[in-house]
Amino acid sequence: MRTGNGRRDFIKQGLFLAGAAGVLTSGLAPIAARAQVVSKPVRRPDRYEDSFIFERKPYMWPGNKTLAIWIAPNVEVWNYDSPVGVGVSPNSGNIVPDVINYGWREYGLRVGLWRFADVFDAAGVKATVALNSLVCEHYPKAVDEMKKRGWEFMGHGTTNSESLAGLNPEREREVIRSVLKTIEQATGRKPRGWLGSGLVETYNTLDILAEEGVIYCGDWNADDQPYPMKVKTGKLFSIPYCMEINDIPLFLRKGYTGEQYYRSVIDQFETLLADSKKQPRVMGIPLHPMITGQPLRIKYLQRAIAEMQKNDAVWFATGGEIIDAYQRAHPTG
């Protein structure tokens, strides 16, 4: 039986290694607070305009829909000789090879992703895949299968064993450019969207993405609607990824059952649907095939999609379709 201390250590490490879930930065040991001062202004990113949702002009999604839903499975690879990566079992000693967790992650590509495909095919919805570019090299058949289904692809770094953290602008531009080019060569289309590995960025990431032609990014979860980001050149929009219903924190961090996951997704949906009567909303569903693609969980995702599809105000779309519709509704935005 795992001790209380062991469990806490596992949770701490799981948060540190959580890869695409973006919990790399959300549960670490507390940082000592700085003393407050009266005159010093708060430091803000200055990447978007301040805007309260009740102040905005209402608009509609295509077909007079009010709630847009996009489904974002993270399709990823990891280095066998690295302990970094989301885990189902503790590896407090950073032992390599981490066979238990590596094999569990591989299950997602070998089996779990195709459970997703069956569910999405049956529901008639298309996914927006956050794709590590090295999946194209190591699993080309998987990319072909996703492409056949008309799924959209976002850039998602090279692997989930590394992130953009600490890169200088030249090296970061080289990495982003390589990711986009690799995915374009494998799929026939350059990605228009981006989700950082671990949702990690540098101070330069948004400018580089816009320079390279990316038009939307899921890293900034500050709203229920898309909104324009301030970049040096080009256009870039934030799209709600909805970390609150990400399957990594719900299943692995909080220990939710399938029923609790289903209830959380539907609670999110019902509130956004009600809110969308006043202002259109976006609901993202972040997924990982080694988690929700497991036999004990897949039916809860399937139930949630079926329940949401019952409502005529709902538009299931890809990330690019949502951003295109947003730009049509905001031609100067």
Side-chain angles (χ1 to χ4, degrees), residues 100-265:
I100 294 174
N101 289 315
Y102 186 86
W104 171 76
R105 297 175 200 129
E106 286 276 285
Y107 181 92
L109 264 165
R110 296 169 66 89
V111 182
L113 180 60
W114 312 113
R115 286 201 177 96
F116 285 172
D118 288 343
V119 168
F120 303 158
D121 288 350
V125 299
K126 293 180 180 179
T128 304
V129 178
L131 186 67
N132 284 164
S133 62
L134 287 184
V135 173
C136 301
E137 177 180 333
H138 295 282
Y139 298 93
K141 188 173 182 180
V143 174
D144 288 343
E145 286 293 326
M146 292 185 284
K147 180 182 173 183
K148 281 196 306 187
R149 289 172 164 82
W151 294 0
E152 187 173 314
F153 296 94
M154 296 186 288
H156 189 47
T158 53
T159 78
N160 258 53
S161 296
E162 298 97 3
S163 73
L164 298 175
L167 297 183
N168 63 46
E170 292 73 23
R171 177 59 180 153
E172 183 176 11
R173 182 175 288 104
E174 180 183 343
V175 170
I176 289 173
R177 193 171 283 169
S178 173
V179 169
L180 299 176
K181 182 178 180 181
T182 299
I183 295 175
E184 180 180 15
Q185 289 173 339
T187 67
R189 294 193 65 181
K190 185 177 180 180
R192 304 172 70 215
W194 183 271
L195 186 76
S197 299
L199 279 69
V200 172
E201 294 186 0
T202 73
Y203 291 112
N204 304 298
T205 303
L206 297 177
D207 294 322
I208 296 171
L209 290 174
E211 288 170 9
E212 295 301 320
V214 173
I215 66 163
Y216 71 92
C217 176
D219 296 344
W220 292 73
N221 288 271
D223 213 296
D224 287 339
Q225 293 181 342
Y227 58 93
M229 307 296 292
K230 295 180 181 178
V231 290
K232 292 179 179 177
T233 60
K235 287 186 177 182
L236 187 69
F237 298 89
S238 173
I239 187 171
Y241 181 63
C242 299
M243 280 296 297
E244 289 291 333
I245 54 170
N246 190 317
D247 56 1
I248 286 184
L250 291 186
F251 283 124
L252 299 188
R253 179 182 175 190
K254 299 180 180 180
Y256 275 23
T257 65
E259 286 287 354
Q260 288 173 311
Y261 171 79
Y262 169 80
R263 189 65 260 165
S264 296
V265 172

Side-chain angles (χ1 to χ4, degrees), residues 67-74 128 154 195 218 221 223-226 239-247 250 261 264-266 268-269 272 281-287 301 305 308 315-319 322:
L67 177 59
I69 298 177
W70 68 300
I71 301 175
N74 290 244
T128 304
M154 296 186 288
L195 186 76
N221 288 271
D223 213 296
D224 287 339
Q225 293 181 342
I239 187 171
Y241 181 63
C242 299
M243 280 296 297
E244 289 291 333
I245 54 170
N246 190 317
D247 56 1
L250 291 186
Y261 171 79
S264 296
V265 172
I266 295 302
Q268 181 98 345
F269 166 73
L272 288 173
R281 307 287 166 137
V282 174
M283 176 174 167
I285 305 179
L287 297 170
L301 174 64
I305 292 173
M308 292 184 286
W315 176 43
F316 278 86
T318 65
I322 292 169

